[in-house]
Amino acid sequence: MIIDLHNHSYYSDGVLSPMQVVRLAKTQGCDVFALSDHDTTAGLVEARTEADAQGLAFVAGVEVSALWNGATIHILGLGVDANNSVLQAGLQRHQTFRRLRAQQMARGLAGAGVANALEKTQQMTHAPTHTPMLTRTHFAQMLIQTGVCKDMKAVFRRFLTHNKPGGVIAKWADFDEVIRWIHAADGICVLAHPLRYQMKNPKIKRLLASFANAGGDGVEVVGARSSAAEIQRVNQWARELNLLASVGSDYHGWANQSVQIGRLSALPEDANPVINRLFSTTQLKEYAR
Ligand code: AMP
Ligand code: MN
Ligand code: MN
Ligand code: MN
């Protein structure tokens, strides 16, 4: 059974429409698929409609930015009710900050000699059907396409973080508040990509412990690039803290990225899969046929 619970569409920083990304998941052999755009649920209706048409089990997701001790983390809400007003009020707040931040990023880049970054980025990402959300991915792709940097790694080394040009202090909600938004919408809270926060192991464990303490439900144990050792390590933490185990590629679909949908290692035998909280065994059997 192929499960992928972390994917992006052009409603945030992915390239494909929700319909296209669901079709690709189907082509890749996925049985269970979640769309989880950054701080928006705008693509979920289109994705669910297409998933139903394709006979794919669909999970309504969202990847919410959050702060833990001042550091940005990402919390996946899986199986959310997108009509919930608490969740939507929270996402609105983040979308407002994103609009303000885009202007601040552009000002910072201008100071480093990159003129009209906002306009250039908007032109590059313009598509009539999607919400005008500008993420750092969009600015990064603009910097690559205009020849300022050679790849994403180079962008995030020189720009858009900390005290670098285009870096803006993140004003996301605190993680415990984000957990409350997702729970209000009946969603399951999963800490995304725990090994990508530039924290050493003891700090990641502290993060996971306070996440679990605040009511967090699970952690992404398997990602697109996870090694066997990494999977074992995160699974062990999950077991110690009684957290569910999730699986997701974090597919975005830019031409200069190699991550594919649904190409993920299996969870360890002793993991407690989050999927069992989202679907019954009978439902999963139906979809896997
Ligand atoms: P934002 O939520 O607007 O701050 O943008 C964060 C997004 O930028 C992440 O979800 C990634 O898609 C992308 N990103 C952040 N850091 C890196 C990196 N070092 N390399 C590649 N992509 C990155
Ligand atoms: Mn992203
Ligand atoms: Mn993320
Ligand atoms: Mn993501």
Side-chain angles (χ1 to χ4, degrees):
M1 167 154 250
I2 300 183
I3 299 167
D4 193 332
L5 298 176
H6 188 161
N7 293 280
H8 296 271
S9 77
Y10 65 26
Y11 280 97
S12 64
D13 55 353
V15 171
L16 302 178
S17 71
M19 182 194 270
Q20 288 171 323
V21 78
V22 168
R23 286 189 178 169
L24 181 59
K26 182 70 182 179
T27 322
Q28 293 285 92
C30 278
D31 302 295
V32 186
F33 171 87
L35 183 68
S36 54
D37 276 311
H38 295 286
D39 299 312
T40 180
T41 58
L44 293 179
V45 169
E46 180 183 325
R48 182 183 291 283
T49 304
E50 186 60 22
D52 287 350
Q54 302 276 349
L56 204 65
F58 182 70
V59 176
V62 60
E63 181 175 17
V64 187
S65 315
L67 291 178
W68 177 74
N69 286 340
T72 294
I73 59 168
H74 286 171
I75 302 176
L76 291 165
L78 296 179
V80 293
D81 169 12
N83 294 317
N84 180 271
S85 59
V86 173
L87 176 64
Q88 287 305 337
L91 299 182
Q92 282 293 335
R93 177 177 149 191
H94 280 190
Q95 286 161 24
T96 302
F97 169 62
R98 283 181 174 283
R99 281 190 289 276
L100 183 75
R101 185 185 68 156
Q103 294 170 4
Q104 293 171 336
M105 287 195 284
R107 232 173 285 141
L109 289 171
V114 183
N116 304 319
L118 189 58
E119 294 72 16
K120 285 181 200 156
T121 305
Q122 274 164 339
Q123 274 161 23
M124 184 199 69
T125 58
H126 180 76
T129 49
H130 70 262
T131 49
M133 178 189 281
L134 289 186
T135 68
R136 285 189 297 161
T137 301
H138 295 112
F139 280 89
Q141 291 290 347
M142 180 277 288
L143 290 168
I144 296 166
Q145 287 178 24
T146 56
V148 177
C149 295
K150 83 170 196 303
D151 56 23
M152 295 287 269
K153 216 172 147 186
V155 173
F156 284 96
R157 204 167 42 226
R158 282 174 59 194
F159 301 104
L160 309 182
T161 60
H162 312 294
N163 302 318
K164 311 276 168 63
V168 176
I169 293 173
K171 297 241 171 70
W172 313 120
D174 269 320
F175 72 108
D176 49 343
E177 195 178 345
V178 169
I179 289 172
R180 285 196 293 273
W181 299 349
I182 293 168
H183 280 168
D186 297 326
I188 295 172
C189 298
V190 169
L191 182 78
H193 42 68
L195 303 183
R196 260 203 268 147
Y197 297 123
Q198 290 174 328
M199 298 177 192
K200 296 201 169 77
N201 288 335
K203 191 164 177 186
I204 303 171
K205 252 198 111 167
R206 283 204 299 281
L207 160 61
L208 273 172
S210 65
F211 181 74
N213 220 9
D217 305 290
V219 56
E220 212 165 57
V221 170
V222 177
R225 299 187 193 289
S226 304
S227 69
E230 287 169 344
I231 292 170
Q232 286 305 330
R233 194 193 318 157
V234 180
N235 186 54
Q236 183 57 36
W237 292 334
R239 284 170 53 81
E240 284 167 23
L241 293 163
N242 236 325
L243 289 166
L244 301 166
S246 192
V247 175
S249 65
D250 204 4
Y251 174 81
H252 286 74
W254 294 85
N256 51 16
Q257 296 174 333
S258 60
V259 168
Q260 292 187 61
I261 298 182
R263 294 284 172 272
L264 293 146
S265 303
L267 279 172
E269 288 286 329
D270 60 1
N272 188 4
V274 71
I275 194 75
N276 296 341
R277 280 270 298 275
L278 292 161
F279 297 97
S280 70
T281 316
T282 322
Q283 281 175 316
L284 288 177
K285 275 191 191 137
E286 281 292 314
Y287 279 114
R289 274 209 307 228

